[in-house]
């Protein structure tokens, strides 16, 4: 059984308490490992290591740090299949998805920030009698706190820009998915990455995460997770004037306008609704359809959803795996129950399926579920479920579609489907959200701003926004002779 230890100052170490948390494979219910359960003493040790390492890491030139990012990308690439297999085992996601999305993107996060940073021009502002030079400095020791749905993908999305700008890191992955962060640490050891620059403290949010928020020497917190936890993060870190980036929950709409290519829209809506069992913050969990095409779209959409292959995540053909845990499955099921109480009709799914080859095991599976007949303002249609459950709603005109799309407390992402690209763009401009896609979903250019409005977060990640978050800027104004 694998024992996952903290990674502090380049060494794997037991937690100071000596306590462990079980790590379960959610696709089978099997115990696969034990994770160090850390507390403020471990965070203190990690901060000391990160603080010591800061002097030499921040003194490297940008070019030297870029070389390190490329080295890390090469080393991850060499272990790409192992990363995918490990992520699939820890999360219950299909191996094909773990390869295509998690492992690939973890590598490209390093490649992207290496290249993007090398292309930045110095910021200079000329006046008649003076010259302004903007000098970027690292922030210092930074805390990275990440969720379980895209474990290494989201962690490396923060690690790469933090490192390249000269910061040192304390990371706390979700205790549900510690394996790929641990693998990443062993990869850093293999390439003799400088000790103390990257540290991991494993464990539960309140005991291992909270001390990161509170520690005075940790100067910035980049957090991705639920809105409720985001509130705790903001409440703790804001009075300490830490830099804060909050990437929080979502309840995103997929809007099908009357002139959409319905076959493409049905495929797109199914992908947006059920990728990673609906456990992506960007998933389109409320589908809004123009009344004139509602029946035709619904038939096509249900055919798509019923055709998705749910199964053992390790089978190459599997498109939908398990949820992250039995506890989360029960939460998602409570929403299916609530939907019925709220007057909804289950159009497909709603049950725990039997998974071929895993009969009798305790996997956390739920069929892809589509619910119709609910009020757009019902709890099921407005609260984040974060599972394979989507609701279908009908609108009469575009104004109503905009109003319905904006009628949640969240504002992370959304997509609109139309054959009129200008109409799609105008529609998108009226949506209260950080990201809109026209005729596509999860189509990412890493240079673009990523983040949410309303209860979906504060700040942006990606390209220059990540570089700015992980640096402090000093404007130097030089009076010319
Ligand atoms: P949580 O908010 O429960 O946890 C996120 C991280 O915060 C975990 O590492 C968790 O640790 C930690 N944490 C919990 N309490 C504290 C605390 N008091 N102090 C410091 N850290 C703490 O989110 P989930 O892991 O359940 O992830 C799902 C959520 O993430 C969804 O709401 C989803 O929308 C959101 N998300 C947002 C994204 C975005 O880019 N906007 C992307 C992906 C997901 P532990 O797990 O050990 O409790």
């Amino acid at each position: 059984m694998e024992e996952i230890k903290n990674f502090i100052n380049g060494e794997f170490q037991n937690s100071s308490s000596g306590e462990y948390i079980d790590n379960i494979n959610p696709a089978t219910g099997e115990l696969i490992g034990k994770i160090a359960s850390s507390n403020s003493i471990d965070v203190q040790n990690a901060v000391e290591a990160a603080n010591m390492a800061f002097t030499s890491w921040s003194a490297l030139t940008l070019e030297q740090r870029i070389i390190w990012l490329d080295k890390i990308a090469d080393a991850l690439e060499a272990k790409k299949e192992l990363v995918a297999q490990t992520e699939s085992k820890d999360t219950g996601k299909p191996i094909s998805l773990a390869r295509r999305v998690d492992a690939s993107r973890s590598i490209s996060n390093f490649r992207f920030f290496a290249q993007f940073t090398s292309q930045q021009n110095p910021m200079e502002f000329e006046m008649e009698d003076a010259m302004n030079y903007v000098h970027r400095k690292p922030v210092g020791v930074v805390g990275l706190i990440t969720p379980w749905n895209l474990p290494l993908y989201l962690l490396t999305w923060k690690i790469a820009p933090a490192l390249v700008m000269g910061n040192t890191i304390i990371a706390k992955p979700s205790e549900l998915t510690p394996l790929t962060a641990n693998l990443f640490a062993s990869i850093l050891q293999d390439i003799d990455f400088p000790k103390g620059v990257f540290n991991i403290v494993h464990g539960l949010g309140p005991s291992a995460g909270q001390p990161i928020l509170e520690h005075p020497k940790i100067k910035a917190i980049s957090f991705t997770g639920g809105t409720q936890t985001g509130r705790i993060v903001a409440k703790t870190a804001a009075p300490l004037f830490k830099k804060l980036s909050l990437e929080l929950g979502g309840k995103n709409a997929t809007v099908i306008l009357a002139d959409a290519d319905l076959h493409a829209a049905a495929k797109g809506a199914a992908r947006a609704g059920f990728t990673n069992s609906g456990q992506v913050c960007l998933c389109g969990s409320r589908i809004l359809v123009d009344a004139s095409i509602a029946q035709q779209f619904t038939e096509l959409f249900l055919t798509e959803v019923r055709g998705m292959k749910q199964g053992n995540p390790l089978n190459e053909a599997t498109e939908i795996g398990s949820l992250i845990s039995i506890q989360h499955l029960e939460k998602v099921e409570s929403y299916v129950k609530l939907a019925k109480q709220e007057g909804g009709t289950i159009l497909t799914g709603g049950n725990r399926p039997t998974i071929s080859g895993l009969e009798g095991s305790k996997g956390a599976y739920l069929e892809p579920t589509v619910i119709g007949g609910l009020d757009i303002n019902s709890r099921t249609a407005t609260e984040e479920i974060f599972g394979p459950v989507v609701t279908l709603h009908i609108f009469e005109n575009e104004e109503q579609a905009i109003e319905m799309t904006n009628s949640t407390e969240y504002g992370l992402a959304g997509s609109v489907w139309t054959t009129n690209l200008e109409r799609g763009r105008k529609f998108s401009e009226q949506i209260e959200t950080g990201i809109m896609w026209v005729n596509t979903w999860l189509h990412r250019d890493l240079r673009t701003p990523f983040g949410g409005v309303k209860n979906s977060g504060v700040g942006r990640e990606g390209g220059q926004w990540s570089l700015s978050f992980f640096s402090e800027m000093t404007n130097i104004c030089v009076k010319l002779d």
Side-chain angles (χ1 to χ4, degrees):
M1 188 180 311
E2 200 164 359
E3 221 177 76
I4 305 295
K5 297 181 177 176
N6 290 333
F7 184 68
I8 298 177
N9 206 22
E11 308 294 338
F12 290 97
Q13 305 181 4
N14 286 322
S15 66
S16 60
S17 70
E19 286 167 12
Y20 285 90
I21 308 162
D22 288 346
N23 188 24
I24 306 285
N25 175 344
T28 60
E30 279 167 353
L31 182 66
I32 52 172
K34 296 264 179 201
I35 315 149
S37 180
S38 309
N39 59 31
S40 57
I41 298 172
D42 305 294
V43 171
Q44 177 61 29
N45 293 340
V47 172
E48 280 168 20
N51 215 23
M52 287 264 292
F54 179 73
T55 311
S56 50
W57 181 251
S58 61
L60 294 183
T61 63
L62 194 61
E63 290 67 31
Q64 286 171 318
R65 293 197 296 263
I66 287 171
I67 290 170
W68 269 118
L69 257 62
D70 277 325
K71 259 193 196 173
I72 295 172
D74 292 343
L76 264 174
E77 187 125 41
K79 298 247 164 99
K80 185 174 173 189
E81 183 57 23
L82 180 60
V83 170
Q85 296 282 346
T86 307
E87 206 68 289
S88 173
K89 183 168 73 169
D90 218 11
T91 59
K93 69 177 64 184
I95 181 63
S96 58
L97 183 71
R99 258 186 221 127
R100 195 174 65 245
V101 175
D102 299 73
S104 300
R105 182 56 194 278
S106 301
I107 299 161
S108 60
N109 283 338
F110 287 99
R111 295 238 187 271
F112 166 75
F113 277 108
Q115 196 195 22
F116 183 78
T117 313
S118 69
Q119 292 165 344
Q120 297 305 296
N121 293 318
M123 265 192 277
E124 294 173 356
F125 303 92
E126 197 175 341
M127 301 167 79
E128 242 176 44
D129 58 347
M131 189 70 188
N132 293 280
Y133 301 94
V134 180
H135 176 65
R136 281 185 192 270
K137 292 188 201 103
V139 184
V141 180
V142 299
L144 312 181
I145 301 180
T146 46
W148 46 258
N149 62 332
L150 296 159
L152 194 61
Y153 171 132
L154 288 174
L155 187 57
T156 52
W157 178 232
K158 298 178 190 296
I159 294 173
L163 287 183
V164 83
M165 296 317 283
N167 303 280
T168 55
I169 295 171
I170 316 289
K172 202 222 64 79
S174 167
E175 97 283 358
L176 296 174
T177 52
L179 293 187
T180 47
N182 185 61
L183 176 59
F184 179 75
S186 73
I187 288 172
L188 292 189
Q189 256 192 346
D190 291 347
I191 61 170
D192 287 327
F193 189 70
K195 291 184 176 188
V197 174
F198 174 76
N199 305 276
I200 306 179
V201 177
H202 289 286
L204 298 170
S207 47
Q210 188 73 22
I212 295 177
L213 307 178
E214 291 169 1
H215 202 293
K217 289 221 165 98
I218 298 181
K219 300 296 180 195
I221 302 286
S222 180
F223 171 83
T224 300
T227 297
Q228 268 310 100
T229 319
R231 280 202 180 91
I232 299 173
V233 174
K235 211 169 136 187
T236 313
L240 299 170
F241 304 112
K242 296 185 183 214
K243 284 188 99 173
L244 259 184
S245 168
L246 298 171
E247 300 290 344
L248 310 177
K251 185 77 179 180
N252 313 298
T254 302
V255 183
I256 321 294
L257 299 181
D259 64 355
D261 171 341
L262 294 190
H263 288 272
K267 269 194 196 313
R271 190 174 150 250
F274 298 108
T275 294
N276 203 29
S277 295
Q279 301 169 124
V280 179
C281 52
L282 306 166
C283 272
S285 52
R286 36 187 357 228
I287 301 179
L288 316 185
V289 196
D290 187 286
S292 65
I293 45 121
Q295 193 185 343
Q296 206 189 340
F297 171 81
T298 304
E299 282 166 17
L300 288 168
F301 177 64
L302 290 177
T303 307
E304 277 297 326
V305 175
R306 289 180 184 130
M308 292 179 123
K309 292 188 190 70
Q310 188 164 28
N312 185 334
L314 295 178
N315 291 347
E316 295 292 334
T318 295
E319 293 171 293
I320 301 189
S322 77
L323 277 72
I324 191 64
S325 66
I326 291 288
Q327 291 77 2
H328 188 57
L329 168 64
E330 286 166 358
K331 180 194 146 190
V332 174
E333 284 177 322
S334 76
Y335 275 100
V336 176
K337 196 170 155 205
L338 174 70
K340 291 179 195 156
Q341 288 161 4
E342 289 185 314
T345 308
I346 311 295
L347 303 177
T348 189
N351 300 305
R352 295 187 185 193
T354 306
I355 301 298
S356 163
L358 293 178
E359 294 87 353
S361 73
K362 293 201 176 97
Y365 293 90
L366 183 69
E367 293 168 341
T369 303
V370 181
I371 305 171
L374 281 170
D375 189 293
I376 191 70
N377 295 313
S378 61
R379 281 188 53 205
T380 314
T382 51
E383 294 178 13
E384 187 184 43
I385 299 173
F386 218 56
V389 177
V390 305
T391 58
L392 268 180
H393 310 270
I394 293 170
F395 60 84
E396 298 297 332
N397 54 52
E398 216 170 297
E399 289 66 41
Q400 196 189 9
I402 291 164
E403 197 187 313
M404 286 164 80
T405 304
N406 287 335
S407 68
T408 77
E409 63 181 43
Y410 296 105
L412 187 56
S415 69
V416 56
W417 296 76
T418 167
T419 45
N420 181 337
L421 301 188
E422 190 52 27
R423 186 181 179 197
R425 197 174 147 179
K426 289 243 156 63
F427 183 94
S428 300
E429 285 172 5
Q430 296 175 77
I431 304 306
E432 295 160 358
T433 184
I435 304 151
M436 277 301 286
W437 284 287
V438 180
N439 296 333
T440 183
W441 179 76
L442 201 50
H443 204 116
R444 293 275 295 123
D445 178 328
L446 303 187
R447 292 170 302 179
T448 61
F450 179 97
V453 300
K454 303 201 284 192
N455 289 2
S456 288
V458 181
R460 294 290 180 275
E461 294 184 331
Q464 55 172 290
W465 292 272
S466 292
L467 299 189
S468 291
F469 180 77
F470 287 112
S471 58
E472 292 288 7
M473 283 178 267
T474 305
N475 185 59
I476 303 171
C477 179
V478 180
K479 173 86 170 65
L480 301 176
D481 291 336

